[in-house]
Amino acid sequence: MPTSWSSTLARLASFGGASRVLAAAAVLALALVAIGVAIAVHPSASDLFATPLHAEQLEEVEERLASWNVPFTPTQDNVMVDARRRNDLLLRLSLAGIPHAHLAGTDEALAAVGALTPQSVIDAQTLDGRASDIASALRDVAGVQDARVIIAPGKTGEFADESGSTATASVRLRLEPGTRLSAATVAGVRAFVAAAVAGLDPAHVTILDDRGIALGSASDGGDDSADLQGGLQSALDSAFGAGSTIVRVHAEYEPASIDRHDITRAPLLGGTIERNTSARAYRHGAETYHEATEQSTRGSQTRDVTSSVGAGALARISTAVFVDASHAADLLAIRDLAAATVGFDSRRGDTLAVQAVDFARLPPARKDAWWLLYGSIVPLLPTLACVAGALIALHFAMPPLRAAASAFLERSRIAETAKRAPEMPPAHVRTLLASEPPHAAAAVISALPAATAAAVLELYPPHERDAIVRRMHRTPPPLFPDPSELLRHG
């Protein structure tokens, strides 16, 4: 192989300027064809969204696509993706709630304010921008998918018969599936909103979740339940494995305030606090009758206790633990663990039920090696078919192409030698033609002057000279053979 390559390079180096130009043009044409094929095979890209995105929306989309390992090309206001995956990516982003709706902040809301803008319009735009700023910040809270904030500014009474109003704010939070905000988080959101609006008291901030329930109120009643349920489920998963138990916790709260008044009396020195005794005596002789009554009080201490329970206080906890039948032997341990985790108190009226049941499980989908092989080969079939077709076409095209290339190189070499031979002495021409076949030597010698051709022929042995002379009387073939002849011989 190295010898053939070296000989090929040596022949290419011996070509003249015209031959080298033709070879370079052929290589360039092949490169252009390869580039065209690569462009045709490469999947087309298109804009993912039909409308331009804002900067924060573009950042959200890029982060999510990167987390999904989806190749994309960012632009100034959009992203370029594979056109075949565009619909699928749009559906996945929509289910994930990305990108969020653009919120015009304070800077954007006041960008169009001019010197002649009324103060009422400026105040309204400032309020809208402030609400958008708060909503954008609440989107970063863990468990919050989106937020909407409405601010009602306070108003002072300008006239004696006009009453004023205090500033209020309404916050609607769209939570991620399965997320419940704790009481501390709700209090933090309320304080954050109140601090962002001048003159707003935290008590006047109403927070509504996607269930339509006001968070932090007595009707919410989900913080203790969610925390206890999550803590117990985590403990059982760690101890018995995920999927072995199902936990449900329900906390009940006092609907109204309850006042209790308890009075307790206790003796000072032990015994009873009061004692009453009576005695009767009757004698028949002389008929005597006697009755005595005695009452004594030892003193007591009185304890008066008044207690009050506000509305929304925890009344009782109901806990249910479903255990897979494979862990039926662990029911007692699971019950003790659940009672300690949720703080079970029978005096408060708490209930705890632990039951072993057969969990419904779908049989795992099993696929044999043939299905795995089928799933691996089918996506590659178009590529394999193209490669096989290209190899078959190359197999049938190689002999004609090889013959054409060989003929072209030989014609170029003969033409170059014939051009330089008239200026050389006969001995030099003979040395130059030493490795050439008879038909190539005949073509070169035929182009020489008669005297030089005769001198060169005299330098050949008789049998080689006869072969060259016989070919000198033939009509030289064309530079490029007939394609039909190449195909027939190939």
Side-chain angles (χ1 to χ4, degrees), residues 104-384:
T106 304
D107 296 339
E108 187 175 350
L110 298 179
V113 172
L116 300 179
T117 304
Q119 185 61 37
S120 58
V121 175
I122 296 176
D123 294 340
Q125 291 180 349
T126 302
L127 205 61
D128 292 341
R130 184 67 55 82
S132 298
D133 293 337
I134 297 173
S136 299
L138 292 179
R139 286 176 176 176
D140 297 331
V141 177
V144 176
Q145 193 176 69
D146 202 356
R148 176 80 181 276
V149 178
I150 301 175
I151 301 174
K155 182 180 179 182
T156 57
E158 298 180 358
F159 301 98
D161 58 348
E162 184 179 4
S163 61
S165 61
T166 58
T168 60
S170 300
V171 181
R172 184 184 183 278
L173 300 178
R174 182 169 45 167
L175 305 179
E176 296 179 356
T179 301
R180 302 289 294 275
L181 297 182
S182 64
T185 304
V186 175
V189 171
R190 181 175 286 106
F192 175 79
V193 175
V197 180
L200 179 60
D201 189 89
H204 296 156
V205 178
T206 302
I207 303 176
L208 190 70
D209 67 354
D210 46 5
R211 300 172 298 163
I213 298 177
L215 300 179
S217 63
S219 60
D220 178 16
D223 297 331
D224 293 331
S225 300
D227 294 342
L228 293 175
Q229 179 174 310
L232 179 56
Q233 186 70 70
S234 177
L236 293 178
D237 290 345
S238 301
F240 300 97
S244 299
T245 58
I246 300 174
V247 177
R248 293 295 181 267
V249 178
H250 175 68
E252 298 181 15
Y253 299 85
E254 296 291 350
S257 300
I258 299 176
D259 296 330
R260 292 186 177 91
H261 189 202
D262 298 330
I263 300 177
T264 305
R265 295 178 63 194
L268 292 175
L269 301 176
T272 59
I273 299 176
E274 294 182 358
R275 186 175 64 177
N276 297 322
T277 60
S278 62
R280 292 181 182 181
Y282 177 76
R283 183 180 300 174
H284 182 68
E287 296 184 356
T288 303
Y289 176 78
H290 178 74
E291 180 178 357
T293 301
E294 179 180 0
Q295 182 178 5
S296 63
T297 302
R298 298 176 177 271
S300 64
Q301 58 180 357
T302 304
R303 184 180 181 184
D304 191 345
V305 178
T306 302
S307 61
S308 176
V309 178
L314 182 63
R316 64 187 59 85
I317 298 176
S318 302
T319 306
V321 181
F322 305 88
V323 183
D324 190 9
S326 59
H327 294 275
D330 302 321
L331 288 182
L332 184 59
I334 293 176
R335 181 180 180 84
D336 294 339
L337 179 62
T341 303
V342 302
F344 177 77
D345 188 357
S346 59
R347 295 172 299 177
R348 188 174 52 193
D350 294 354
T351 59
L352 174 60
V354 180
Q355 189 86 19
V357 296
D358 292 326
F359 283 8
R361 291 187 175 89
L362 296 176
R366 297 182 179 179
K367 294 184 179 179
D368 52 15
W370 164 248
W371 280 104
L372 296 177
L373 184 62
Y374 176 81
S376 302
I377 291 179
V378 168
L380 299 177
L381 286 180
T383 304
L384 294 177

Side-chain angles (χ1 to χ4, degrees), residues 391-413:
L391 292 177
I392 294 173
L394 185 62
H395 172 73
F396 287 102
M398 278 304 295
L401 292 177
R402 189 183 300 110
S406 178
F408 174 76
L409 294 176
E410 186 176 4
R411 297 299 184 276
S412 301
R413 186 175 65 255

Side-chain angles (χ1 to χ4, degrees), residues 411 439 443 446 471-479:
R411 297 299 184 276
H439 66 276
S446 299
R471 285 169 172 78
M472 292 176 63
H473 297 288
R474 298 179 183 176
T475 303
L479 181 61

